[in-house]
Amino acid sequence: MNRTLAGVAWVALYLLVVLVPMFLMLLPPLPSGRTFWLEFAVALGFVGLIQLAVQFVLIARFRPLTAPYGIDVILQYHRQIALVAVAVILVHPVIIIVDNPSRLELLNPFGGTIASRFGILAILALSTLVLTSVFRERLGFRYEAWRFTHLALGLITVAFAQAHVSLAGLYTNAPWKQAVWVVSAVMMLCLVVYLRVIRPWRQRRSPWQVSRVESLPGATVALTLEPQGHAGMRFAPGQFAWIKLANSPFTLEEHPFSFSSSAEDTGRLEFGIKGLGDFSARVGSIPAGTTAFIDGPHGAFSIDRYQAPGYVFIAGGVGITPIMSFLRTMADREDPRPVLLIYADTSLEEMSYREELVPLEKRLSLAIVDLPEKPPPDWEGEHGLVDADLLGRVLPEERFARDVFVCGPPPMMDAVQAALLARDVPRERIHLERFVLA
Amino acid sequence: MRHFLANIALYVIAAFLVSGAALFALMRSTQFVLTDEETMLAHYRPAAGESFEWRELGERTYVANCAGCHGRDGTGRDQYPPLATAAALLPMHGGREYLIDLHLYGLASARRRAPMPPMGHIPDVALAAAMNHVLVEFGQLQLFAPAELLITPAEIAARRGAGIRPQDVEQRRPR
């Protein structure tokens, strides 16, 4: 199906899923209506609960759902709409109490009703979840531990919130109305089982093996995986996959990395991994022969998705990895289209793939601008940051026709996007990879 | 471009969700009036010298407004009190007024953790009928008081508009 149509269809389905259970509550048997603000508070609670449950759909990595948008956009939405849902859920009790202050007693954990106690517990779990996610790095929370906590708190929150709705009882005054809420909440929680049990179960049949671990400059490791008893994986250049390095696929420890190898070679996958996080710092010491499982390919950051008469690739640091995949794939395909690569990093020594780029320059119509932020004393090329001035000097004349792919740290991508827009590159030609998935 | 559209979509969707909730509240607060409530209640309102036929209306009003907390059979649950001895208050001095006020203005009491919400939005006829339903069906009215002590719509109307706070209603409880 057409990607745009699919994208619109999913959004429509999503809005239906969030609002239909609430509007089903308008069917008889109907309790007597109350004031607008009280009913509004209740409705916000309903919307908040379903939105929390939908969060589990967003992270389930359903390829039909994520493909129209790109999974990085879906995960960004997961984070942003979570804040909306939390706001809505916190407003829910506030309006109820402002509407009638004697209801303050419901906030007393030793008083109130059983329903109100479940509500309080759900809000406590939810607040912990949000705080540990937003401030994970500042709290010094390890990624793997956070991931487990996040999942557990998410399940607890939805379970408690569902108990709150079931027991509060005003709108759940008929068995089928109870069922509407319980079934929709449980269905979405089941996606956790899909992601954490069924998906790994399927992965068992297609294991991979680490065949090579090569150290590159700039504390980067090229990890090569080869399929064990299966045909391998077909991916589009620029995509990424979640990798588990363990003997069993049922581990929570998995990390997303971009393919850096050619998409034409499905039987040998290479990933470029920079020692930034606690896992990626350990990757260099992984012995060849280690078993691996791959969930992928994911992502919409691909030249195959946006055909153009030529490309501009702008890489910042380890953001070069998907772009290596672009270039290697284009070389294997003997793609004649012109490419400009701006390779930015703190210094020349940090640039992990400078050597690998040399042979590609001969096989492709490729112009490379190495852009060290701190150049060596004898450096005569460009240096500094990717800004409008630099783009004005290096961008080709036909910049309006080319598609621009930017991958790097988030602040750099924001700055580069602003600079590109300032240089009259149309917004629809700029493609970013928001690679902060944690 | 994808991220730009996604940001716009976020605001649109968030606005859509909140307006959905507002629409729901609007529909509920205007109550889906399928028949004119006045016409329906006029059928039950006793004319002068006529007896008050409260049973059908009382049960319906009770189920719609009270059963959620006090239970269909008035046994209460958890923080919500049972209504079994409600009629005992009726013959006491100030008891009738107290019972009517706690329905009209709500009740916040240290004896019970959950407050009784005000039910003043229920019309006189329906509220009187529901109270009678409670007094007779669960409150054992026949043990405490003669049947002529049943609540009439006119009594409810007389106690409206006093603007009493739920905590003050508790002070009026006969002891």
Side-chain angles (χ1 to χ4, degrees):
Chain A
M1 198 183 358
N2 177 311
R3 213 159 46 210
T4 316
L5 257 176
V8 171
W10 279 114
V11 170
L13 180 66
Y14 161 77
L15 292 173
L16 273 182
V17 164
V18 180
L19 294 177
V20 160
M22 180 173 72
F23 281 98
L24 280 177
M25 298 300 111
L26 291 175
L27 295 179
L30 204 57
S32 74
R34 294 167 297 178
T35 60
F36 173 82
W37 285 106
L38 193 55
E39 293 290 354
F40 185 52
V42 171
L44 289 180
F46 283 147
V47 169
L49 168 63
I50 287 284
Q51 181 55 54
L52 287 188
V54 169
Q55 293 292 57
F56 289 90
V57 183
L58 298 178
I59 55 154
R61 301 181 200 160
F62 271 130
R63 231 166 296 154
L65 186 154
T66 57
Y69 317 100
I71 200 166
D72 58 332
V73 161
I74 294 284
L75 294 179
Q76 171 185 300
Y77 181 74
H78 171 87
R79 288 191 294 269
Q80 292 173 335
I81 198 69
L83 298 179
V84 175
V86 168
V88 156
I89 286 168
L90 290 179
V91 168
H92 159 73
V94 169
I95 298 185
I96 288 180
I97 287 166
V98 170
D99 182 73
N100 180 354
S102 64
R103 294 202 186 96
L104 206 53
E105 181 60 26
L106 292 172
L107 292 188
N108 179 351
F110 304 104
T113 63
I114 299 185
S116 74
R117 281 177 228 167
F118 271 113
I120 293 169
L121 288 176
I123 285 190
L124 285 180
L126 181 62
S127 318
T128 319
L129 180 151
V130 170
L131 293 176
T132 50
S133 304
V134 175
F135 301 110
R136 177 178 76 81
E137 283 178 353
R138 228 177 289 172
L139 292 170
F141 214 161
R142 273 184 63 241
Y143 177 68
E144 290 77 24
W146 167 80
R147 222 166 158 199
F148 179 78
T149 318
H150 193 73
L151 177 60
L153 282 174
L155 289 172
I156 290 172
T157 305
V158 174
F160 283 176
Q162 179 53 52
H164 171 72
V165 168
S166 291
L167 291 169
L170 185 71
Y171 280 101
T172 44
N173 56 357
W176 72 265
K177 289 191 181 179
Q178 286 281 14
V180 165
W181 292 104
V182 175
V183 168
S184 44
V186 167
M187 257 170 38
M188 291 184 224
L189 294 193
C190 282
L191 290 172
V192 174
V193 179
Y194 170 79
L195 179 67
R196 299 288 167 213
V197 181
I198 297 174
R199 181 82 65 92
W201 183 264
R202 289 208 204 127
Q203 285 178 341
R204 274 173 68 242
R205 278 180 290 171
S206 38
W208 295 72
Q209 199 174 51
V210 175
S211 63
R212 194 150 170 257
V213 182
E214 187 192 354
S215 285
L216 299 176
T220 299
V221 169
L223 184 75
T224 309
L225 301 183
E226 283 178 10
Q228 294 293 298
H230 57 98
M233 177 178 287
R234 178 152 284 287
F235 64 96
Q239 286 193 298
F240 67 94
W242 269 275
I243 302 178
K244 296 172 182 165
L245 289 169
N247 286 321
S248 152
F250 297 100
T251 170
L252 265 184
E253 172 153 9
E254 58 178 339
H255 302 270
F257 293 113
S258 285
F259 298 102
S260 57
S261 52
S262 164
E264 295 301 307
D265 190 353
T266 54
R268 197 194 64 90
L269 306 180
E270 190 193 296
F271 300 87
I273 301 170
K274 191 173 170 81
L276 293 171
D278 26 270
F279 169 80
S280 42
R282 273 187 285 124
V283 159
S285 55
I286 280 165
T290 305
T291 309
F293 296 93
I294 301 182
D295 179 359
H298 293 287
F301 184 75
S302 178
I303 47 171
D304 286 2
R305 193 180 160 117
Y306 302 100
Q307 292 296 342
Y311 294 106
V312 175
F313 301 147
I314 304 178
V318 73
I320 187 72
T321 47
I323 288 167
M324 285 310 294
S325 177
F326 290 162
L327 295 170
R328 284 166 168 170
T329 307
M330 289 178 81
D332 281 357
R333 291 175 184 167
E334 297 176 0
D335 196 319
R337 290 177 290 179
V339 173
L340 168 70
L341 168 64
I342 303 175
Y343 188 3
D345 211 324
T346 45
S347 65
L348 289 181
E349 296 75 48
E350 283 292 311
M351 294 183 182
S352 314
Y353 285 93
R354 266 188 99 200
E355 257 177 60
E356 332 278 321
L357 283 168
V358 175
L360 289 171
E361 220 171 348
K362 293 190 189 103
R363 294 169 66 192
L364 289 167
S365 162
L366 171 65
I368 301 180
V369 176
D370 284 328
L371 188 70
E373 196 182 337
K374 299 184 202 88
D378 56 340
W379 183 253
E380 289 178 354
E382 297 284 356
H383 60 90
L385 299 171
V386 183
D387 51 22
D389 283 347
L390 174 95
L391 292 174
R393 286 194 297 277
V394 303
L395 277 187
E397 281 302 312
E398 75 293 2
R399 63 185 67 161
F400 311 103
R402 290 201 187 185
D403 272 33
V404 183
F405 286 78
V406 189
C407 187
M412 176 225 175
M413 284 196 292
D414 292 338
V416 171
Q417 173 162 251
L420 286 167
L421 290 172
R423 283 284 162 215
D424 298 330
V425 176
R427 192 186 281 278
E428 59 269 23
R429 298 226 166 266
I430 306 175
H431 311 290
L432 309 177
E433 176 76 320
R434 299 252 178 229
F435 207 68
V436 192
L437 296 175
Chain B
M1 188 65 182
R2 287 185 299 129
H3 300 86
F4 179 68
L5 292 177
N7 284 333
I8 296 175
L10 174 78
Y11 288 109
V12 174
I13 291 173
F16 193 91
L17 295 183
V18 174
S19 0
L23 177 66
F24 176 86
L26 205 65
M27 291 167 91
R28 288 295 289 133
S29 57
T30 53
Q31 253 276 254
F32 254 162
V33 183
L34 295 179
T35 169
D36 185 12
E37 200 176 17
E38 265 308 303
T39 324
M40 197 266 289
L41 290 177
H43 177 67
Y44 293 96
R45 192 172 293 124
E50 208 179 298
S51 70
F52 178 25
E53 291 302 325
W54 52 267
R55 286 185 181 271
E56 190 193 1
L57 178 64
E59 183 177 3
R60 200 186 309 169
T61 311
Y62 178 84
V63 168
N65 296 279
C66 325
C69 296
H70 293 289
R72 236 167 211 275
D73 47 3
T75 48
R77 66 181 164 96
D78 191 28
Q79 301 296 332
Y80 306 115
L83 305 171
T85 57
L89 289 162
L90 202 57
M92 295 168 81
H93 179 68
R96 295 180 77 78
E97 292 76 10
Y98 167 73
L99 284 177
I100 294 173
D101 285 355
L102 79 86
H103 287 91
L104 285 177
Y105 307 112
L107 179 66
S109 150
R111 289 174 292 117
R112 292 284 171 182
R113 290 299 195 179
M116 165 86 181
M119 292 286 160
H121 56 278
I122 304 175
D124 300 339
V125 190
L127 188 54
M131 287 180 69
N132 289 339
H133 177 77
V134 170
L135 292 169
V136 173
E137 298 295 329
F138 322 132
Q140 309 178 62
L141 180 77
Q142 65 285 5
L143 284 187
F144 299 104
E148 55 267 29
L149 282 184
L150 280 169
I151 310 281
T152 64
E155 275 180 286
I156 307 256
R159 297 205 63 80
R160 279 195 188 273
I164 309 168
R165 296 187 307 155
Q167 356 356 357
D168 297 339
V169 173
E170 171 63 11
Q171 307 300 322
R172 301 175 174 219
R173 182 183 167 85
R175 280 159 228 278

